[in-house]
Amino acid sequence: RRKLRVDKPFALMMPDLATVEAHCYLEPAEYTAIEARQRPIVILDRRPESSVAREVAPGQDTMGVMLPYTPLHVLLIEPEPGFPQALVMTSGNLCEEPIAIDNQEARERLSDLADAFLMHDRRIRTRCDDAVLRIFEGAAFPLRRSRGYAPYPVHLPWEMPPLLAVGPELKNTFCVTRGRYAFLSHHIGDLENYETLCSFEDGITHFETLFRVRPEALAYDLHPDYLATRYALARAEREDLPAIGVQHHHAHIAACMAEHGVAGEQPVIGVSFDGTGYGDDGAIWGGEFLLAYYHGYERPLHLAYIPMPGSEAAVRQPWRLALAWLARAGLEWDEDLPPVLASSTEVRQIVRRQLELRLNAPLTSSMGRLFDAVSALIGVRQRINYEAQAAIELEARVDPDEQAAYHFAIGEDEVDPTPVIHAIVADLGAGLTIGRIAARFHNGVADMVDQVCRLMRDRYGLVEVALSGGVWQNMALLNRTVQRLYEAGFTVYLHRQVPTNDGGLALGQAVVAAHRLAFNP
């Protein structure tokens, strides 16, 4: 509460592997990851008998754990009788603000947060959060690429012109390129305030100096209101440089292709699932099946559009999305449904009018928003306190023994979840547990991805599938989907060097821009 990050999980530092083993399950690759020289935070499955307070990661059966990585840490967490086995380690900032890196700044900004300050006389040059990863199929699956990993470059199989890709709005990182190297920045964060924008601009200046890059072009996201986009367009005009807009989900898939060294002469099937990305038609995309080259893409299928009543309010209050899907499915807003119980009669009347008139209700094809809607519909989470909370808590409720699946309607160019909504409401009425409904939904999404990829293989003769976007941080969905794709004979590309979320987007922007410049010099 003092840090203004209600419900959002905290990272833990433990003194040694024996302590980690006492609180978490570890696979062989997780031992390697947590002991690596980069010392990332590794997301581990929690042991039921762990004494760590549940409030550290509310609604989760996982914990983010790291080992000491400085001598000071070793001294702070040295085991002593009666001393805690784990310490919460969080950055010196309030939620959504940049980390304080100056002693006086810390005193002024963090006096309400910290009871005491341990100061140092050595100046900090650059803010740098801890890196975060999971292990999937025995290898790293990055969630945040920062301390220890940045600015180590991604090696590319072709020469790149000097470029700056400014990245997205949320989980921002930027990328500068030189030769066959793409240097991704440390985690900047969400560009939603002036302080973070200043940190972003300072980081760009630092990287361009450090790597002696003078950009010949700038790449940016198509969303006109993103601060990173505005920075790129203003700088391009000021310095008379080409500015290349790159569609959000195309950049996701291109980033995944690039880190695997995919040649790009033939397209791959790109499955890009996330919460928000500005589409070519002005709608909010996020449930996309693409034919992706580096220089361009086609969009053969996508999740059906649904209005978001209240726009950003629907992101913060997923019950609004649940009501929108009920309306699309032709189902009544019965008083016993969780999203109806979570809202007042007066507000529901406003939402109904917004849906009817499309007033402040932009269209979205977002898979992330569908997960939010299902979470609200079955009573897991009606309002969120941090990004993707509803979907994260829905995943945590999945019953691993449930094998049944809901079925999507797959059309010529659209995937319609309406049958899923009907089935969920029927199962709620029949008294099915939340865990079984959550599992059936995850199984159904995995089945649908498999079916659409098979359809695209039949149409276009393609066997390579790239999965990218923040929804793929859902391990229950990722595992189910990948296994189905393997069984169907597909080659599957997953992120291994940069995050699958927006933290890896700048890499995709850079390689798309480079290929477009080569096509249209």
Side-chain angles (χ1 to χ4, degrees):
R1 190 176 296 113
R2 293 170 72 179
K3 195 172 165 68
L4 306 180
R5 51 177 286 166
V6 178
D7 291 338
K8 193 172 184 180
F10 284 100
L12 296 169
M13 181 173 284
M14 298 183 183
D16 48 42
L17 271 179
T19 307
V20 178
E21 290 173 325
H23 294 278
C24 303
Y25 298 106
L26 287 97
E27 300 175 358
E30 290 168 335
Y31 282 100
T32 302
I34 202 167
E35 288 191 296
R37 61 178 176 80
Q38 294 91 346
R39 284 294 198 267
I41 298 168
V42 182
I43 308 299
L44 301 171
D45 289 332
R46 177 192 178 112
R47 289 184 181 273
E49 66 272 20
S50 171
S51 59
V52 172
R54 285 282 178 181
E55 289 78 7
V56 168
Q60 302 297 302
D61 290 322
T62 58
M63 293 191 290
V65 182
M66 58 181 161
L67 294 176
Y69 58 86
T70 72
L72 177 60
H73 291 152
V74 174
L75 293 174
L76 283 173
I77 203 167
E78 186 176 10
E80 291 286 345
F83 193 76
Q85 291 186 325
L87 295 178
V88 169
M89 288 291 187
T90 187
S91 51
N93 64 318
L94 297 177
C95 188
E96 309 304 336
E97 291 185 0
I99 297 172
I101 59 173
D102 176 81
N103 288 343
Q104 186 57 37
E105 178 189 13
R107 291 189 186 96
E108 293 172 355
R109 286 174 48 199
L110 305 179
S111 58
D112 291 336
L113 172 62
D115 295 318
F117 293 94
L118 178 60
M119 301 298 186
H120 203 292
D121 59 1
R122 185 176 181 180
R123 180 174 175 265
I124 298 172
R125 171 58 187 84
T126 300
R127 299 169 175 86
C128 202
D129 289 83
D130 294 309
V132 184
L133 60 81
R134 298 195 76 150
I135 296 298
F136 181 74
E137 294 186 330
F141 188 69
L143 304 182
R144 185 167 73 197
R145 189 178 188 270
S146 201
R147 177 191 53 76
Y149 296 89
Y152 191 79
V154 175
H155 294 253
L156 300 173
W158 54 77
E159 292 286 326
M160 294 280 288
L163 297 173
L164 166 64
V166 297
E169 181 88 344
L170 302 180
K171 296 181 175 64
N172 179 271
T173 62
F174 58 84
C175 178
V176 296
T177 61
R178 179 179 178 179
R180 294 194 171 204
Y181 298 113
F183 299 95
L184 261 75
S185 76
H186 50 289
H187 173 78
I188 303 294
D190 297 348
L191 291 180
E192 295 181 330
N193 54 56
Y194 176 72
E195 292 79 11
T196 310
L197 177 63
C198 290
S199 177
F200 164 80
E201 293 177 345
D202 176 72
I204 289 174
T205 300
H206 180 53
F207 266 54
E208 290 179 1
T209 302
L210 184 65
F211 298 113
R212 300 177 184 178
V213 172
R214 182 182 291 274
E216 295 178 359
L218 283 80
Y220 63 92
D221 191 275
L222 293 179
H223 198 299
D225 293 332
Y226 282 1
L227 293 181
T229 295
R230 293 182 177 183
Y231 167 88
L233 293 175
R235 180 174 173 183
E237 182 177 4
R238 186 171 64 249
E239 299 180 14
D240 193 25
L241 296 173
I244 301 165
V246 181
Q247 200 281 323
H248 190 92
H249 302 95
H250 182 205
H252 267 306
I253 301 302
C256 188
M257 294 167 64
E259 67 169 85
H260 286 278
V262 175
E265 296 170 356
Q266 295 293 322
V268 304
I269 299 170
V271 186
S272 186
F273 288 172
D274 64 4
T276 299
Y278 193 81
D280 291 338
D281 57 2
I284 301 168
W285 292 5
E288 312 307 314
F289 293 90
L290 306 180
L291 289 179
Y293 301 86
Y294 289 116
H295 64 273
Y297 71 95
E298 298 175 32
R299 187 194 186 207
L301 290 101
H302 58 84
L303 199 67
Y305 285 121
I306 191 75
M308 294 173 57
S311 190
E312 283 299 311
V315 178
R316 298 188 298 271
Q317 301 169 8
W319 61 264
R320 293 172 177 263
L321 296 165
L323 295 185
W325 275 112
L326 288 169
R328 179 186 170 95
L331 296 170
E332 294 296 324
W333 294 354
D334 292 336
E335 294 291 339
D336 60 342
L337 290 173
V340 178
L341 293 171
S343 55
S344 67
T345 302
E346 294 77 9
V347 174
R348 286 199 303 276
Q349 289 174 345
I350 294 172
V351 168
R352 192 179 295 278
R353 290 293 287 168
Q354 287 178 317
L355 293 173
E356 291 170 351
L357 301 175
R358 296 289 170 85
L359 179 65
N360 192 27
L363 294 176
T364 183
S365 62
S366 167
M367 180 60 75
R369 298 289 83 85
L370 179 61
F371 269 80
D372 291 348
V374 171
S375 181
L377 182 57
I378 67 176
V380 173
R381 172 63 60 172
Q382 306 298 334
R383 293 170 175 81
I384 66 168
N385 293 307
Y386 63 89
E387 184 192 8
Q389 182 180 7
I392 290 169
E393 293 184 2
L394 177 67
E395 178 193 0
R397 301 295 291 272
V398 167
D399 181 345
D401 297 323
E402 178 62 45
Q403 299 299 313
Y406 297 129
H407 300 289
F408 290 74
I410 301 173
E412 185 68 21
D413 59 3
E414 185 178 87
V415 177
D416 186 1
T418 297
V420 175
I421 303 301
H422 277 275
I424 289 174
V425 172
D427 281 347
L428 282 172
L432 214 67
T433 65
I434 287 177
R436 293 184 65 190
I437 295 174
R440 290 182 177 189
F441 176 66
H442 282 74
N443 294 341
V445 175
D447 283 347
M448 178 271 290
V449 172
D450 177 42
Q451 292 164 18
V452 173
C453 288
R454 289 171 185 257
L455 174 64
M456 293 178 69
R457 178 172 61 187
D458 292 342
R459 284 187 190 176
Y460 307 108
L462 303 175
V463 296
E464 295 176 304
V465 178
L467 305 180
S468 188
V471 168
W472 295 113
Q473 294 172 121
N474 182 320
M475 292 291 106
L477 177 65
L478 183 66
N479 185 62
R480 287 161 170 77
T481 303
V482 168
Q483 291 307 313
R484 285 161 171 77
L485 293 174
Y486 286 158
E487 290 169 6
F490 287 102
T491 298
V492 182
Y493 298 119
L494 306 175
H495 285 279
R496 296 301 187 184
Q497 298 185 62
V498 304
T500 191
N501 58 46
D502 283 5
L505 201 77
L507 174 62
Q509 291 176 344
V511 296
V512 169
H515 281 76
R516 287 190 183 164
L517 287 171
F519 264 69
N520 300 288

